[in-house]
Amino acid sequence: MTPKEQKAAIRNERLALRDAMAPEARIEGSLAMVELAGDRIEFAPGTVISGFWPIRSEADIRPLMAHLRTRGARLCLPVVLDRETIIFREMVAGAPVIKTGFGTTGPGPEAAVLDPDILLVPLSAFDRAGHRIGYGAGHYDRAIDRLKAKGRVPRLIGIAFDCQEVASVPAEPHDVTLDAILTESGLRLFQQVS
């Protein structure tokens, strides 16, 4: 099997496990993320943090984002423009969110476009070394590349449930390693970030 085929098999397996979680377990796990890590994610007031509106069986990090806002974060959400591109629009308290395509929800076109300092990244699978498997479209990889081309080095925190961990992800040269993973068991750092 090629690395791409291996990743597809792992993605399907881990997403099926996540889908099989009882809705109550997903809610409890999502709330545990706030309790266990809401104050452990380090950032200065005004730091731009990208979260996401949950789709399918993803963890619901809206409570976590609300907590980070109370700590001074400036929040944004990814918006899928097309099959190749996501941008990050500012999520202002009280402003409406709309359907933004490809099953996602985010701020409308009137919202400011921001460059995040920290990305809370949804994923299909992860391993102990901080390698991740996304959903296969490469949106986050390309967005991270664009941020790096601007001289920015965003901190990447994967968001998943424990059942999505695997022994090893077949890493490829273009893959970006996570700085940390947040699950219902807490926040695990993979490497020190400055």
Side-chain angles (χ1 to χ4, degrees), residues 2-3 25 32 39 46 69 86 91 109 149 186-187:
T2 67
D39 293 324
R69 175 180 277 138
I86 59 173
M91 187 175 85
L187 183 68

Side-chain angles (χ1 to χ4, degrees), residues 16-84:
L17 288 173
R18 188 182 76 186
D19 290 344
M21 290 176 67
E24 298 81 12
R26 286 198 298 270
I27 291 168
E28 290 171 10
S30 297
L31 293 173
M33 291 179 188
V34 182
E35 293 172 25
L36 296 171
D39 293 324
R40 287 194 56 217
I41 297 172
E42 295 181 12
F43 62 91
T47 297
V48 177
I49 300 178
S50 171
F52 56 89
W53 219 258
I55 60 173
R56 300 184 297 262
S57 59
E58 288 177 341
D60 185 349
I61 63 165
R62 290 175 290 184
L64 174 62
M65 290 188 297
H67 181 75
L68 297 175
R69 175 180 277 138
T70 67
R71 292 183 48 214
R74 189 173 178 195
L75 300 176
C76 59
L77 294 174
V79 174
V80 180
L81 295 182
D82 55 45
R83 293 199 176 276
E84 296 290 315

Side-chain angles (χ1 to χ4, degrees), residues 42-155:
E42 295 181 12
F43 62 91
T47 297
V48 177
I49 300 178
S50 171
F52 56 89
W53 219 258
I55 60 173
R56 300 184 297 262
S57 59
E58 288 177 341
D60 185 349
I61 63 165
R62 290 175 290 184
L64 174 62
M65 290 188 297
H67 181 75
L68 297 175
R69 175 180 277 138
T70 67
R71 292 183 48 214
R74 189 173 178 195
L75 300 176
C76 59
L77 294 174
V79 174
V80 180
L81 295 182
D82 55 45
R83 293 199 176 276
E84 296 290 315
T85 312
I86 59 173
I87 59 171
F88 301 92
R89 289 184 184 154
E90 186 167 20
M91 187 175 85
V92 178
V97 292
I98 62 170
K99 295 294 180 194
T100 53
F102 300 92
T104 62
T105 300
E110 70 285 351
V113 174
L114 302 177
D115 289 334
D117 302 300
I118 299 173
L119 279 81
L120 304 178
V121 184
L123 50 85
S124 298
F126 68 95
D127 67 17
R128 291 173 193 237
H131 299 115
R132 65 177 269 278
I133 298 175
Y135 293 136
H139 284 116
Y140 275 93
D141 293 330
R142 285 188 295 278
I144 293 163
D145 285 345
R146 282 192 299 278
L147 290 168
K148 287 183 177 179
K150 292 180 176 183
R152 304 183 67 88
V153 183
R155 190 166 15 141

